[in-house]
Amino acid sequence: MINQNPEQIARDNIDRQLMACGWVIQDKKKFNLAAGLGIAIREYQTDIGPADYVLFVDKKPVGIIEAKREEEGVRLTTVEDQSSQYANAKLRLLNNDPLPFVYESTGEVTRFTDYRDPKPRSRNVFTFHRPETFVQWLSQPKTLRARLHDLPALPTEGLRDCQVIAITNLEQSFKDQRPKALIQMATGSGKTFTAITFVYRLLKYAKAKRILFLVDTKNLGEQAEGEFRAYTAQEDNRLFTELYGVTRLNSSFIPNDSQVYISTIQRMYSILKETELDESLEEENPNETRFEPKEAIPVGYNEKVPIEFFDFVVIDECHRSIYNLWKQVLDYFDVFQIGLTATPDNRTFGYFNQNLVSDYGYEKAVIDGVLVPYNVFTIETEITKNGNIIKMGEQVDKRERLTRKKFWEALDEDEVYSGKQLDKDIVNPSTIRTIIRATKENLPMMFPDRMDSQGNFEVPKLLIFAKTDSHAEDIIDIVREEFGEENKFCKKITYRSDEDPKSVLQQFRNDYYPRIAVTVDMIATGTDIRPLEVLLFMRDVKSRSYYEQMKGRGTRTCSVEELKAKGTPTAKYSKDHFVIIDAIGVEQSQKTDSRPLEKLPGISLKDVLNSVAMGNTSEDMLTTLANRLIRLDQQLKDKDKQLFSEKANGLTINQVVKQLLYAYDPDVLESQASNVKRGMAGHPPVAIEQAITEAHQALIEQAVAVFHNPDLREFIVDIRKKYDQIIDTVNIDTVTKIGWVKDHAEAATALIREFKDWIALHKDEIIALQIFYAQDYRHRSLTYTMIKDLYDLLLAEKPTLHLSQLWDAYATEEDTAAEGKLIQRMPRSEKPKQELVLLVSLLRKVVGLDEWLTGYDKTVDIKFQEWAFKKQAGAGTKFTEPQMQWLRMMKDYVANSFCVEKDDFDLPPFNAEGGLSKMWALFGEQTDAIIKELNEVLAA
């Protein structure tokens, strides 16, 4: 309605929520307590004045709602005394006891207190509880929070110390009524077993009604279900499932007769949204790939799954997937939340209110013998490090990514590629072969005891992490060839492998074959493979948490009996370590604690499609998808367009695009609204607005209906990949560095020591070094001649001391320190390509001008940005854009020549732009001062 004041708007919102939660709202003058189980009477009189709402259940008063306007949301706790007074007041016509259930609400924000709890404490709730819930709560002699104080002492037999500590501290957290708790336990130390143990105790002793076990991939859910079904209650000696119902949700239907529910967070979100979810959307961790909109699509109240449906939520792998869009699932339920993770980050600690009840990291688990340590073996090749070039005119193989169909073609221009492009745009079989061959040759050195009775080496169970499915196929072919083995020796385990991935995984875990498995990400997390002894990384990982999870596949202990029984009969000792073979630089690459909270618009087509299928039907998302499909329509051949139409219920791409764009077209929406208003003439305005909203939603649902079909989504993604990869058979790769990281570190230390000794020996003899060591170095400049003299002297006296290797040595030193947690390493700039710039960069590091290994050219960039910002922000004359372009040119010159003089303006690149005369034209009498100041600022 129009012209409502804030209080009336709040009351309307509260009314809508109460009705959705099963309450009948009545006026105090016309009440009928027999009209329903739950009655909410407005302005009911008490002996201290009228209460905004009094809640009756089964004709008995049970609660109070104190309503406030929306602006009061930040001060709701300040009105708790007022609402409590109403709850303790006498109601007109009744001789009631104090009412236990008390809300303070603005219609947008609602807080709730159950005054029967020990130390009653208000909490935020998504909406109001149902009348049936109050009936159930009142029938119980104690509240849930009171029953948590009845948990008996934990029997410790059969539990590790870390599990005892985690459960004991968690139960104390419950007794303290802390709403969130975080359990950190290293992968392989028994997180899930710990969780099932405390879930059992909550059901048995605290009489919890239902508990949700939340995961973010179908694979984790299946594993959790298996562990629940295998768990035997120590105090009862019966299987968990003989005592309590366990249901893994795989549809939109959620039964109400189980006690434990296992669900992906994606499925629970779709259940709350009352939309169907295809199981294919549960295969990947949504935090790794899913696009997050600027504004999360809100969930609404679902009477089939009210906020009190669960008492507890256990969130497995909670370091990921519980933020942004998905956080709403947790915000919806009125529950205690327990997070499980091996690798928490700062967001995780923050989300769980820094309530870390168990801190059992990898190092502690290794010390306790729960997990095994690892050693790192590096294989670095020339092409993975530096890339290569294929010259114009070369006849090369090209391959369609999707079909892997090959054809010959001559390059019409040079193809320069970096190591990062390998196995995506460029495939170099020699690189894969070089890594696999080096692995094969060095495995006997790593496991010298693995010889069978005929003297043949038995390859330990080895897992290779590949970049893509196509990359995995290439690896498998080369592994079988290099090891001279048959198909069953090496198999792929990914979601898209033709063979059942679960069957192959079971074989890898328990049987002799396969000896080597190749995966993209399916068994990165949540899979227990005890006999696994080697991890070969042929893909990089940017997420620290994800990398730790991948390493966790090898951390499990394994007795010699189990090793022998599960595929390694030559084993003579229990598994006491595992080996990481780093062939991609994953140990050195920069890791982040978490992904950005919001992606930029450059999101993948797959993420767009899956986001729409998950329910993200915002205008931005549908417009983005429409634009992608328009471009796709221009690229596809007629037969591919026909295949699209067959999978899209007969619609062409153009027709689908039109529906997507019409869903938010202002003219379409205006016409639709007019039709609704004409058809509902005389109805209340609120009802008309609701009908318009529903009509718009129906238009959106019609537009996105075809994308609920996973076959169509997969077809669109695959058809976009049908462009070519170049197969580089021209360039043969070679190993540039190989060996244990410990050995690399020792070699790096020796190289650095040699360089430092040389500098110390010559520091009083070399002009350039004197400037570096001088107290007033910040006010002096380096000259090109000085640095060149130093470089020539270094070449003459230390011909084997290569600057590139020295940079790598310092990089190794920093990485080793960071791995040992001695320092927090900063992102490292790329190695300078020019030798003299590289020398200055190293000098600045060794004499302490730069704390971190930093390319001198990058240092100059940073100094220039700081200088230019101060100039532009100051009160003096601001530089024009032509002046700034000239200054940037001077900056680039200094970065490579260490200073700039007037004579240099006769050289490139200045002479092409007008030389010194142009400098005078731009800066006038400031010219000399600008040159001097830039030299002082940048060259120091």
Side-chain angles (χ1 to χ4, degrees):
M1 295 183 183
I2 58 174
N3 299 324
Q4 287 186 308
N5 62 39
E7 287 79 6
Q8 291 169 327
I9 293 173
R11 299 289 181 95
D12 285 348
N13 286 335
I14 291 171
D15 286 355
R16 278 194 289 270
Q17 291 181 39
L18 283 170
M19 287 187 287
C21 296
W23 294 88
V24 178
I25 300 173
Q26 296 179 352
D27 186 79
K28 63 181 179 180
K29 296 180 180 178
K30 294 183 178 180
F31 66 86
N32 176 7
L33 296 182
L37 178 63
I39 307 294
I41 301 180
R42 300 189 192 96
E43 301 295 336
Y44 196 96
Q45 191 66 38
T46 75
D47 59 5
I48 62 169
D52 293 332
Y53 296 82
V54 175
L55 303 178
F56 289 80
V57 171
D58 201 14
K59 304 183 181 66
K60 298 179 182 65
V62 297
I64 291 288
I65 301 175
E66 178 64 24
K68 296 294 180 184
R69 64 181 185 273
E70 186 175 342
E71 293 76 10
E72 296 293 318
V74 295
R75 294 185 289 274
L76 278 187
T77 57
T78 64
V79 300
E80 288 169 352
D81 286 344
Q82 180 184 0
S83 53
S84 177
Q85 289 172 8
Y86 282 119
N88 284 281
K90 292 297 182 183
L91 301 177
R92 181 174 175 271
L93 306 177
L94 295 170
N95 184 25
N96 58 287
D97 294 326
L99 309 185
F101 306 125
V102 177
Y103 297 91
E104 297 86 27
S105 180
T106 65
E108 296 293 334
V109 178
T110 301
R111 295 186 69 86
F112 170 72
T113 307
D114 186 342
Y115 278 93
R116 302 172 307 146
D117 285 337
K119 296 183 179 179
R121 184 189 304 166
S122 70
R123 59 185 185 267
N124 279 315
V125 289
F126 183 84
T127 187
F128 301 99
H129 302 89
R130 299 187 68 83
E132 301 92 330
T133 301
F134 287 160
V135 171
Q136 184 184 25
W137 286 357
L138 290 170
S139 69
Q140 298 164 343
K142 291 183 178 180
T143 68
L144 173 64
R145 283 159 178 76
R147 297 195 299 272
L148 289 170
H149 288 267
D150 297 337
L151 291 168
L154 175 69
T156 59
E157 186 180 349
L159 295 175
R160 295 170 178 160
D161 289 346
C162 61
Q163 295 171 325
V164 172
I165 292 170
I167 296 170
T168 302
N169 290 347
L170 176 65
E171 292 180 353
Q172 184 58 50
S173 176
F174 291 150
K175 293 172 185 177
D176 294 338
Q177 296 190 44
R178 302 191 69 166
K180 298 177 182 177
L182 178 62
I183 293 176
Q184 178 192 2
M185 293 180 69
T187 300
S189 59
K191 288 196 310 294
T192 308
F193 188 87
T194 301
I196 299 173
T197 300
F198 70 67
V199 164
Y200 166 77
R201 286 170 56 80
L202 290 172
L203 292 169
K204 180 176 177 65
Y205 298 112
K207 306 301 180 187
K209 181 175 55 177
R210 300 186 193 94
I211 297 175
L212 174 62
F213 194 93
L214 206 57
V215 296
D216 59 15
T217 64
K218 179 182 175 183
N219 183 42
L220 280 179
E222 290 172 341
Q223 180 176 319
E225 181 182 23
E227 293 199 41
F228 268 103
R229 296 192 181 284
Y231 181 91
T232 300
Q234 183 180 341
E235 302 160 47
D236 192 282
N237 206 30
R238 282 186 287 175
L239 289 173
F240 189 98
T241 48
E242 293 180 274
L243 300 167
Y244 304 107
V246 176
T247 297
R248 184 170 65 84
L249 301 177
N250 51 25
S251 72
S252 59
F253 173 70
I254 178 165
N256 60 10
D257 56 354
S258 286
Q259 285 71 50
V260 174
Y261 296 77
I262 302 169
S263 174
T264 62
I265 198 164
Q266 305 94 298
R267 182 160 300 283
M268 188 53 62
Y269 174 79
S270 71
I271 287 172
L272 295 178
K273 292 281 291 178
E274 297 189 88
T275 57
E276 291 295 330
L277 179 74
D278 187 85
E279 285 191 86
S280 64
L281 292 173
E282 299 180 283
E283 291 178 347
E284 297 179 9
N285 163 18
N287 189 53
E288 292 291 329
T289 58
R290 193 77 63 234
F291 167 74
E292 303 294 352
K294 292 182 179 179
E295 294 183 6
I297 305 93
V299 300
Y301 182 73
N302 186 333
E303 64 178 342
K304 298 174 186 175
V305 192
I307 64 170
E308 62 270 33
F309 192 82
F310 302 108
D311 290 328
F312 297 85
V313 174
V314 181
I315 309 126
D316 196 14
E317 304 297 354
C318 64
H319 62 278
R320 59 194 201 189
S321 309
I322 60 171
Y323 312 102
N324 309 330
L325 174 70
W326 313 108
K327 181 175 176 289
Q328 297 178 88
V329 173
L330 301 177
D331 289 343
Y332 177 84
F333 292 110
D334 179 25
V335 289
F336 285 95
Q337 297 181 22
I338 307 101
L340 305 177
T341 181
T343 54
D345 57 32
N346 289 338
R347 287 190 307 172
T348 316
F349 288 124
Y351 179 82
F352 286 94
N353 302 336
Q354 297 176 263
N355 184 25
L356 185 64
V357 298
S358 168
D359 177 11
Y360 193 69
Y362 175 69
E363 292 81 5
K364 292 180 182 178
V366 169
I367 292 170
D368 290 349
V370 173
L371 302 178
V372 297
Y374 65 91
N375 298 326
V376 179
F377 188 88
T378 298
I379 300 174
E380 180 186 270
T381 75
E382 176 64 31
I383 292 178
T384 55
K385 184 179 180 184
N386 299 318
N388 217 309
I389 181 172
I390 311 173
K391 292 293 186 179
M392 180 177 64
E394 286 281 1
Q395 289 278 346
V396 296
D397 268 337
K398 287 194 172 182
R399 182 173 72 190
E400 290 184 356
R401 295 193 188 208
L402 178 60
T403 65
R404 295 174 67 84
K405 175 184 175 183
K406 286 185 180 180
F407 54 93
W408 279 89
E409 189 171 277
L411 293 180
D412 55 9
E413 61 180 343
D414 288 353
E415 183 69 40
V416 180
Y417 64 89
S418 68
K420 292 181 180 179
Q421 290 175 273
L422 282 172
D423 310 303
K424 295 175 182 175
D425 305 316
I426 305 287
V427 174
N428 188 315
S430 176
T431 295
I432 300 174
R433 189 175 303 280
T434 300
I435 293 169
I436 297 302
R437 185 173 292 174
T439 298
K440 177 192 174 187
E441 291 171 351
N442 284 276
L443 281 173
M445 176 272 294
M446 299 176 190
F447 298 88
D449 60 321
R450 299 297 169 81
M451 294 291 178
D452 62 21
S453 57
Q454 284 78 41
N456 299 315
F457 177 72
E458 183 176 71
V459 176
K461 290 281 188 175
L462 186 154
L463 176 63
I464 302 176
F465 290 108
K467 297 174 183 175
T468 63
D469 277 281
S470 180
H471 186 211
E473 291 288 339
D474 292 331
I475 291 171
I476 288 169
D477 284 342
I478 291 174
V479 165
R480 290 171 177 171
E481 185 178 331
E482 286 297 315
F483 281 84
E485 290 289 352
E486 55 195 312
N487 291 348
K488 63 183 179 182
F489 177 82
C490 179
K491 289 190 176 183
K492 181 167 66 171
I493 308 176
T494 72
Y495 288 118
R496 301 190 62 176
S497 60
D498 294 331
E499 194 169 353
D500 177 20
K502 293 180 188 175
S503 172
V504 179
L505 181 57
Q506 191 73 8
Q507 293 169 14
F508 188 52
R509 182 188 290 123
N510 296 315
D511 300 339
Y512 188 81
Y513 289 112
R515 305 302 303 160
I516 297 176
V518 184
T519 187
V520 177
D521 55 13
M522 179 177 174
I523 52 177
T525 60
T527 304
D528 185 1
I529 309 174
R530 292 184 178 276
L532 181 61
E533 296 183 273
V534 187
L535 301 177
L536 170 54
F537 280 88
M538 295 182 71
R539 61 165 288 192
D540 198 3
V541 185
K542 298 302 183 185
S543 162
R544 180 179 292 114
S545 296
Y546 196 52
Y547 180 47
E548 292 300 324
Q549 291 287 324
M550 294 168 83
K551 288 197 300 187
R553 297 314 102 218
T555 60
R556 267 68 169 188
T557 59
C558 190
S559 67
V560 64
E561 292 80 14
E562 189 175 4
L563 267 178
K564 286 176 174 289
K566 293 188 174 180
T568 310
T570 61
K572 297 179 177 61
Y573 311 101
S574 296
K575 177 180 170 183
D576 58 4
H577 77 290
F578 71 100
V579 176
I580 290 175
I581 301 178
D582 182 4
I584 199 71
V586 68
E587 278 281 304
Q588 284 75 43
S589 66
Q590 297 299 316
K591 305 288 189 293
T592 57
D593 278 334
S594 59
R595 67 197 279 270
L597 293 183
E598 194 173 292
K599 285 187 179 179
L600 295 174
I603 59 174
S604 71
L605 177 59
K606 179 180 179 181
D607 287 350
V608 173
L609 288 164
N610 286 348
S611 294
V612 169
M614 280 299 305
N616 182 348
T617 54
S618 66
E619 182 176 5
D620 287 347
M621 185 57 69
L622 298 197
T623 303
T624 298
L625 179 53
N627 288 335
R628 299 289 180 90
L629 292 178
I630 289 170
R631 293 204 301 268
L632 183 65
D633 191 40
Q634 296 168 349
Q635 298 168 359
L636 294 188
K637 299 176 182 177
D638 288 342
K639 67 174 184 178
D640 291 328
K641 291 181 180 179
Q642 179 62 35
L643 286 172
F644 177 97
S645 183
E646 290 172 5
K647 297 176 185 297
N649 301 329
L651 297 174
T652 65
I653 296 179
N654 190 43
Q655 289 170 328
V656 171
V657 166
K658 284 182 178 179
Q659 288 186 347
L660 291 170
L661 296 178
Y662 284 166
Y664 285 96
D665 185 284
D667 293 334
V668 172
L669 297 184
E670 183 179 351
S671 174
Q672 187 182 60
S674 297
N675 291 337
V676 171
K677 289 176 182 176
R678 281 197 300 271
M680 296 186 65
H683 285 72
V686 172
I688 294 175
E689 287 301 317
Q690 179 67 24
I692 291 173
T693 300
E694 291 174 357
H696 183 207
Q697 188 59 39
L699 193 66
I700 292 172
E701 289 299 326
Q702 180 183 356
V704 302
V706 294
F707 299 107
H708 292 304
N709 178 4
D711 291 339
L712 175 63
R713 298 197 304 270
E714 186 175 325
F715 171 80
I716 294 172
V717 171
D718 285 344
I719 207 70
R720 282 279 291 141
K721 292 179 180 177
K722 204 175 177 178
Y723 56 90
D724 308 329
Q725 288 179 314
I726 295 174
I727 312 297
D728 180 7
T729 55
V730 177
N731 296 297
I732 303 302
D733 208 352
T734 57
V735 172
T736 55
K737 183 167 69 175
I738 190 166
W740 297 107
V741 165
K742 180 179 69 173
D743 300 332
H744 297 325
E746 291 174 356
T749 300
L751 193 62
I752 291 169
R753 188 184 308 116
E754 182 183 359
F755 184 56
K756 286 182 175 179
D757 291 346
W758 185 81
I759 288 176
L761 184 65
H762 291 84
K763 75 174 186 176
D764 294 329
E765 303 170 17
I766 305 169
I767 296 174
L769 282 175
Q770 288 175 352
I771 294 173
F772 268 113
Y773 278 93
Q775 293 297 315
D776 61 345
Y777 69 89
R778 295 189 183 279
H779 303 291
R780 304 178 67 177
S781 63
L782 293 168
T783 69
Y784 184 88
T785 303
M786 291 175 183
I787 297 300
K788 187 68 168 65
D789 290 344
L790 176 60
Y791 179 67
D792 291 341
L793 184 60
L794 182 64
L795 286 181
E797 294 196 0
K798 291 287 181 181
T800 61
L801 192 65
H802 300 297
L803 294 178
S804 178
Q805 293 177 354
L806 192 58
W807 174 284
D808 293 341
Y810 272 107
T812 299
E813 182 184 64
E814 289 185 355
D815 294 337
T816 302
E819 180 68 24
K821 298 187 176 177
L822 301 177
I823 59 172
Q824 181 65 42
R825 189 184 68 200
M826 300 295 288
R828 183 184 301 126
S829 61
E830 291 184 7
K831 184 193 304 183
K833 292 182 173 58
Q834 191 187 111
E835 285 277 292
L836 296 186
V837 176
L838 184 54
L839 176 59
V840 174
S841 305
L842 291 167
L843 286 171
R844 292 179 63 87
K845 165 70 177 178
V846 77
V847 301
L849 295 184
D850 291 332
E851 182 180 3
W852 308 100
L853 194 60
T854 308
Y856 177 67
D857 49 345
K858 301 303 179 188
T859 301
V860 171
D861 283 344
I862 294 170
K863 289 179 178 291
F864 178 78
Q865 291 172 11
E866 293 173 347
W867 175 79
F869 179 79
K870 289 178 182 177
K871 287 287 185 182
Q872 297 294 69
T877 304
K878 305 292 189 296
F879 293 129
T880 64
E881 182 54 33
Q883 287 176 321
M884 284 300 301
Q885 290 178 0
W886 190 269
L887 291 171
R888 292 188 192 102
M889 199 158 49
M890 292 173 66
K891 178 263 296 183
D892 292 338
Y893 192 85
V894 170
N896 290 285
S897 301
F898 316 112
C899 69
V900 60
E901 305 291 347
K902 281 187 178 181
D903 293 345
D904 295 328
F905 290 100
D906 294 330
L907 303 173
F910 305 111
N911 58 355
E913 301 295 331
L916 188 59
S917 59
K918 180 60 180 290
M919 176 82 181
W920 274 98
L922 287 171
F923 296 97
E925 295 181 358
Q926 288 185 295
T927 296
D928 290 343
I930 289 290
I931 294 173
K932 181 184 179 191
E933 188 173 354
L934 268 184
N935 278 319
E936 289 180 349
V937 169
L938 301 184

